[in-house]
Each structure stands twice: as C-alpha cells, then as structure tokens.
Amino acid sequence: MRSDIVKKGLERLPSRALLKALGVTDDEIDRPFIGIANSYNTIIPGHMALRKITEFVKYGVYIGGGVPFEFGVIGICDGIAMGHGGMRYPLASRELIADSIEVMVEAHQFDGLVLVGSCDKIVPGMLMAALRLDIPSVVVTGGPMIPEKYMGETITLSAGFEAVGRYKAGTIDEKELKDYENLCAPGCGSCQGLYTANTMACLTETLGLSLPYCATSPCASAQKLRIAKESGKRVVELVKEGINPSSIITEKSFRNAITMDMLIGGSTNTVLHIPAIAKEADIEIPLTLFDEISEKTPHLISLDPASTFTMKDLHEAGGIPAVIKQAKKLFSNEMTISGKKLYDIAKYATITGSLIRPISNPIHPKGGIAILFGNLAEKGAVVKSGAVDKGMLRFEGAARLFDSEEGAVNAIFNQEIEEGEIVIIRYVGPKGAPGMPEMLSPTSALVGMGYQKVALITDGRFSGATRGPCIGHVSPEAMEGGVIALIEDGDVISIDIPARSINVKVDEVELRERKERWSPPQREVKGYLARYAKLVTSADKGAVFR
C-alpha cells in the first residue's frame, strides 16, 4: 500500500506515534488509509449538508476495512460572488482546489480518495485532482436543492435573479420581490436547475467516477446518505483491486460525458471544465469535439433555465441511468468505479414520465450547446443553444460596448439598451478580468426587464442559469488583442447559431488598422489573481495553467 511509506518500519515510529495521537490503533495501522476531501462550509447552500454526507462516507470506509482521514477544501458560492469583484475568483479557485488536494494526498500518501463536494468549480477541481493523482478515487456530489412553488409555479434561483429586473420594470411589486427572495433558494443543495454544479454532477456520473444516481439524488436525502456510505465502502475495494481512474477513464469516457451534456442541454461552463479535467489524464479535448458531438446528438431534456423542470424532476424520471438507457446507441459502453459498465447500469433503470424524450422525438435535433466560429471568435465561442428561442437563433444587430459588467447592468436597468442591439462585455476573460467572471446579472437583467430582441456577447462566461442568445468564451479574448477588443459602437454583428458562425461586419483592412492603434488597458491586480493572470491560458484551452 502507498501508505506503508508513512507507517511501516522502524524509522516510521514517530509517524505512527502521531497517527496514534489521532486515536488510530495498531490494528488500523495495517488498513488502507483513505483521504476524504470535504468542501463543507457554512457559506454555500450546496455545501452546508456535506458534513453529514461525509460522516456517512466515513462509515462506509470503516465498514469496508479502511481508515478515513478527512481534510477540508475551499469552496466559493458563485451566486453570492456574482455581480461584483468577487466573481473574478471562482474559476481561479478551481486550480487552487486541485492543487490543495494534491498537496494533502501526496504529503500523507493516502491509498485512496473520496471527494465530497458540490457547486460550480469545486467538483471540476476535485476531478482534476483525482485524475492527476491517479489513486483509487470516488466522487460524491452533494445533490440538488428541492425547489419551492410560488403562486402555483416552481421557482428556482434563476427566477430570483430575474425578479430584480422584473421589479425595476414594474411587473412585480415589493411584496412579490420579497417572496422571490424568501422562496427561490429554500434549503440545502446545489441550485435547482441544470446550472454548472448539477451539470458537472451529471457528467461525473457519466464519466464513471461516482456511483449510479449520485448526480440527481437530492441533497441530504436518505438515498444520498446510502450512496455516500456505499462510496466509502467502494473506495476501499478499489484500493484492494488496484483500480485507479486511469484504469477507467479514456477518451471515450469524455466523449460520453460530452454526449450527456448535449442530451440534457447542460451549462456552457463544461466547455471549460472537461478539457481541463481531461488534460490531467493527458487526453486532449479540442473545442471542436463539442460541436462534432453536438451535430449528431439530439437535445432530449429541457430543464430550468430552459423550462420549469428541475433536477428533482430528472431524478424522478430515472436519473442519469435512464438518460443513458433512452439514448444507449449514442454512448460507448465504458467501465465505471461501481465495477459495472454503463450499459449494465442503464439496463436496470426505469424511465418514468415524458421528461426524457425518445431520440425519435427530440426537443432539438442537435445538442444543447453550440460552438461558434468567425472573425469575432477565431478560436471559438460558446452558446447554450438549447435555451435560445427559435426567433433568436439567427440575429443581426448593432454593437453596444461595455468594458465592465457593472456598466452593462446599469445601462440595462436604466433602459439605455434598444431592442435589436447586441450588448458586448469585454476585458472580462481569463486574463482580462482576470478570472473570467460569470455574467448572470446582465443576462438576468435583460430577461427581467422584458427585452425580447437583445443578444449578449462576452469574452467572459455565463452561469448555467443563463438563458437566451448569450454567447461567451469568445477567444482570443480582448486582453490578448482578439477582435472583440477592436469592435466599436455601432458595428454590425451577425450571429447564426444553426450555421455555427459569429462575425463582425467590418472588413479585414479596417480591423488591421484598428489593431495597430489598440493597446490593452492597464489593470492593477495583486495577490493570487496577479499570478493567475500570468499563468492562465485562453478559454478555448479550458483556462488551465501553462
């Protein structure tokens, strides 16, 4: 066992003494040592139940014959960080999370690892660590929040963001605004819709790194606690069997995850996270692969923000195994940490109701995410096409430029934006912000204020709660001199999502002249963000470190 290096032999007497100071017995010294990375904290609703979930993981480890050692992992709530300078930190935290887990595991030479987390950057960071370390690992995602109903309709966090614009537009009163505040996030769990946290949980299960139904089982439910206990037992078995992530994860596994992403119309942030996770396994996932898979994968499931259905409904419809069963021919039959292959798991799934459509009757014939290319995004841009109204799939309008999110939000709330315009928020990419903040506040403001014919383009990114013609991840970003930095107010932008194109109607000669006059803005950045800006790659590379 790996852990023998810290606990066996005469020279390790001091190490054994320190272990015994923790209450470890002589019998336990001979068992596998299992690290449990727990991102529990009291600032994120998705994490506040992880203490209890981790207790059940520890029970499982002990039942399985291992010794659990728990350690903490940082986590940021994107919703609380949204709309101000704090939003520069969540994506940047992904690398810190991966690095900190690596440090703890390698310093203490754990034999196996259980990763307990929820929410947007925490699960991707944990997956990066699992593949980098390549020791037997199981991921336990904390589970989605159960939504409340308001005036007979299911409401979610995205409705809370949009309520701000609705109040400013005068379509709801102060009492209704307070009702949204009190009801749109009613308890523990990752936010109710198919936002980034829940999308990544679904993809983790599809990759085969969490047990069946882990992604959709609600936060702190009895089923979640049973899955947590089984995950603890299973990791000890993986250690004894010598099964590492590299024994399971292949390029086909990542293709399966992207296929799931397209079927369910997941968050555009997966286009950042999947390449970053795959890179840790020395597997290259180019941006074009997302579009290649999207072209041949129908969009079968519509969840909030594209509809009123939530993760609770997907769980009741049969969860991820049911989706795989419905679209079996689109998946490769890869192994999972459960010891079963995907088809074997799906075989026993029950498809309930009509939420998971058959392939013969999709919502859209192509996947829920599209990659756009053109002179405005030579290296690509990303849109959640499954959440765009048909009338906005092709759109042309004049550019309204903003070099900050705050400026755009103020203009939207002050009704300074005209129908038919395209809002552009730039210098908010990985280097530009730095940290590539999410733009949920301006997109929610557009919806809440009742705009129907306005698109938004940014070199930043969007929350999974975003809906509408919102195009992000524009690469090259403005800070690196991408064409998005050269656009001027009034330039005509052409968007054609079915044709996968995005262009500014300015000739190449004029763009070259503008480039000669251009210089990047000076940003005063210090601390971790300064280091991040120096090391981070572009969005089309997953915003990983060089």
Side-chain angles (χ1 to χ4, degrees):
M1 290 187 293
R2 271 170 49 100
S3 61
D4 285 351
I5 198 169
V6 301
K7 63 187 183 183
K8 292 296 180 71
L10 176 63
E11 293 79 7
R12 296 294 178 252
L13 183 150
S15 299
R16 290 193 295 276
L18 290 168
L19 290 166
K20 288 183 175 181
L22 301 170
V24 176
T25 65
D26 284 326
D27 172 63
E28 290 171 332
I29 291 287
D30 294 325
R31 299 183 187 184
F33 280 11
I34 307 299
I36 302 176
N38 179 11
S39 60
Y40 163 80
N41 60 47
T42 58
I43 188 64
I44 309 179
H47 290 208
M48 65 181 181
L50 296 185
R51 175 183 282 173
K52 183 174 184 179
I53 290 170
T54 298
E55 287 300 313
F56 277 75
V57 172
K58 290 192 284 189
Y59 296 154
V61 169
Y62 209 80
I63 291 168
V67 184
F69 295 92
E70 180 184 351
F71 60 91
V73 175
I74 65 166
I76 292 174
C77 179
D78 285 42
I80 296 173
M82 195 77 67
H84 56 85
M87 197 63 225
R88 297 182 297 170
Y89 285 91
L91 181 61
S93 75
R94 185 187 69 182
E95 318 306 311
L96 283 175
I97 289 162
D99 289 351
S100 65
I101 294 170
E102 174 195 346
V103 167
M104 287 297 291
V105 170
E106 294 290 25
H108 301 101
Q109 292 292 295
F110 294 126
D111 300 299
L113 180 63
V114 181
L115 301 138
V116 186
S118 290
C119 299
D120 297 29
K121 313 308 168 296
I122 295 87
V123 172
M126 287 179 164
L127 289 169
M128 289 168 67
L131 293 184
R132 181 188 304 174
L133 292 162
D134 199 30
I135 64 171
S137 301
V138 178
V139 179
V140 180
T141 50
M145 189 183 291
I146 299 295
E148 288 274 11
K149 285 188 178 292
Y150 177 58
M151 298 178 70
E153 293 185 359
T154 298
I155 62 169
T156 63
L157 186 69
S158 61
F161 274 93
E162 292 169 6
V164 177
R166 293 176 64 189
Y167 177 74
K168 285 181 175 287
T171 58
I172 61 173
D173 61 25
E174 193 168 333
K175 179 191 178 299
E176 290 172 299
L177 185 70
K178 179 61 72 172
D179 288 341
Y180 277 104
E181 180 179 320
N182 290 333
L183 296 174
C184 72
C188 76
S190 48
C191 299
Q192 310 96 323
L194 193 59
Y195 315 153
T196 305
N198 288 324
T199 302
M200 285 308 307
C202 293
L203 302 198
T204 301
E205 187 175 327
T206 307
L207 277 170
L209 289 173
S210 60
L211 292 180
Y213 303 100
C214 187
T216 56
S217 53
C219 178
S221 63
Q223 184 177 13
K224 179 66 71 182
L225 298 179
R226 293 194 298 270
I227 289 171
K229 190 183 291 186
E230 290 295 334
S231 296
K233 288 172 59 181
R234 182 59 186 153
V235 77
V236 180
E237 294 169 358
L238 292 173
V239 170
K240 293 176 180 178
E241 295 166 9
I243 298 175
N244 300 339
S246 61
S247 308
I248 295 170
I249 300 297
T250 64
E251 184 189 13
K252 290 181 179 179
S253 305
F254 284 104
R255 284 179 172 269
N256 282 342
I258 296 170
T259 297
M260 179 61 69
D261 202 9
M262 299 304 166
L263 287 165
I264 63 179
S267 166
T268 53
N269 283 314
T270 58
V271 180
L272 290 172
H273 298 319
I274 290 295
I277 296 162
K279 183 176 182 290
E280 299 291 351
D282 294 322
I283 297 171
E284 183 179 357
I285 302 294
L287 197 59
T288 51
L289 182 59
F290 286 85
D291 218 44
E292 173 193 319
I293 293 175
S294 179
E295 286 285 334
K296 59 186 180 184
T297 305
H299 177 208
L300 299 186
I301 299 168
S302 183
L303 299 180
D304 177 71
S307 77
T308 58
F309 294 107
T310 67
M311 289 295 291
K312 173 179 178 287
D313 299 301
L314 178 57
H315 186 62
E316 292 171 354
I320 297 306
V323 179
I324 295 170
K325 184 174 187 175
Q326 189 76 294
K328 179 180 173 182
K329 67 180 183 180
L330 299 177
F331 291 92
S332 173
N333 191 22
E334 300 304 300
M335 182 55 75
T336 74
I337 53 97
S338 70
K340 298 177 182 178
K341 291 190 172 184
L342 284 182
Y343 289 1
D344 298 322
I345 295 169
K347 179 181 178 180
Y348 294 100
T350 300
I351 302 170
T352 303
S354 58
L355 178 63
I356 306 173
R357 293 197 186 194
I359 289 179
S360 60
N361 182 32
I363 299 165
H364 301 107
K366 295 181 181 180
I369 292 176
I371 310 299
L372 312 183
F373 291 93
N375 68 352
L376 183 51
E378 294 176 359
K379 294 184 179 180
V382 183
V383 62
K384 191 171 185 175
S385 53
V388 178
D389 291 336
K390 288 182 179 179
M392 291 294 288
L393 291 172
R394 292 182 175 88
F395 186 65
E396 194 167 282
R400 285 292 305 275
L401 291 171
F402 299 91
D403 289 350
S404 71
E405 178 186 6
E406 292 81 2
V409 171
N410 288 336
I412 293 166
F413 282 148
N414 291 331
Q415 296 182 309
E416 296 169 9
I417 305 300
E418 301 290 337
E419 292 281 7
E421 290 185 323
I422 296 179
V423 175
I424 295 180
I425 306 175
R426 61 187 179 183
Y427 295 109
V428 289
K431 284 184 175 297
M436 203 180 181
E438 287 183 348
M439 300 287 129
L440 181 56
S441 293
T443 60
S444 298
L446 286 169
V447 174
M449 293 293 290
Y451 284 99
Q452 300 293 319
K453 295 289 183 180
V454 174
L456 195 154
I457 298 171
T458 181
D459 54 3
R461 59 194 177 87
F462 293 114
S463 164
T466 296
R467 57 190 172 107
C470 300
I471 298 165
H473 305 209
V474 170
S475 299
E477 64 173 287
M479 189 61 87
E480 292 191 325
V483 171
I484 191 171
L486 311 179
I487 295 172
E488 297 178 356
D489 276 320
D491 285 347
V492 176
I493 310 290
S494 176
I495 301 166
D496 191 331
I497 294 173
R500 304 297 197 256
S501 70
I502 180 169
N503 291 282
V504 55
K505 290 190 169 183
V506 176
D507 65 58
E508 291 301 313
V509 174
E510 172 66 16
L511 288 175
R512 282 197 299 270
E513 291 176 355
R514 292 183 186 180
K515 183 66 176 286
E516 290 173 1
R517 299 192 299 267
W518 173 82
S519 60
Q522 298 300 308
R523 297 282 173 91
E524 187 176 338
V525 185
K526 59 184 180 179
Y528 177 59
L529 285 182
R531 282 179 281 149
Y532 183 84
K534 289 179 180 178
L535 294 172
V536 71
T537 58
S538 62
D540 64 292
K541 300 294 184 185
V544 297
F545 281 175
R546 287 183 174 84

